[in-house]
Amino acid sequence: MERTNTSDASYEEVSDGVYLADLAMGRRASVKSWRIEPGATLPVHRHHNEQIGYVLSGTLVALTEDQKITLSPGDCYRFPSQELHGAENRSTEPAVGIGVLAPPREQPDWGDVGVTDAFPDRTQR
């Protein structure tokens, strides 16, 4: 058995104010810990992995091509494979959670798409 605690995890800043850490990785799935600071944006992206997560503390606004959904502590979410998605922390507290990716993903590929560029038909958030 392998054991990892979030206090021992090595967090990497993958975008301004957005931090990810690997907690566990198997052949079929990986678990990541994430933290998004107040005012920070998880860049809009897509990937072939299915992503399921859980919000431990703080709030986020999850963004997809046709939705803006506020996620709060206790909320579980799922992004299907290839769904364009991102998140914004519009609060004054860090948002913290865990995410499971299947198949496992080692390094995010954020690309150069910005939140406003990814959804050109939206005029307001």
Side-chain angles (χ1 to χ4, degrees):
M1 180 182 123
E2 294 177 29
R3 177 186 173 274
T4 305
N5 188 291
T6 54
S7 63
D8 300 327
S10 177
Y11 286 84
E12 177 183 0
E13 188 171 17
V14 296
S15 185
D16 289 341
V18 178
Y19 299 87
L20 291 179
D22 291 320
L23 295 180
M25 186 172 298
R27 289 190 339 241
R28 296 186 185 150
S30 61
V31 178
K32 304 223 181 249
S33 176
W34 53 261
R35 185 176 78 245
I36 302 176
E37 297 297 330
T41 297
L42 173 70
V44 172
H45 62 287
R46 69 175 82 224
H47 42 72
H48 72 279
N49 319 77
E50 180 174 34
Q51 182 175 341
I52 298 170
Y54 184 80
V55 180
L56 296 166
S57 63
T59 59
L60 286 176
V61 176
L63 308 170
T64 68
E65 289 184 80
D66 58 352
Q67 294 179 309
K68 293 187 298 185
I69 299 172
T70 300
L71 299 173
S72 301
D75 284 342
C76 194
Y77 60 87
R78 181 181 76 88
F79 295 113
S81 174
Q82 297 301 331
E83 181 174 32
L84 191 63
H85 63 281
E88 297 174 346
N89 184 343
R90 299 177 181 175
S91 76
T92 59
E93 301 293 326
V96 177
I98 58 170
V100 177
L101 293 128
R105 185 177 77 191
E106 294 183 16
Q107 183 65 29
D109 181 13
W110 303 119
D112 296 325
V113 178
V115 173
T116 55
D117 296 336
F119 305 114
D121 57 332
R122 280 202 190 161
T123 57
Q124 294 183 359
R125 294 241 179 256

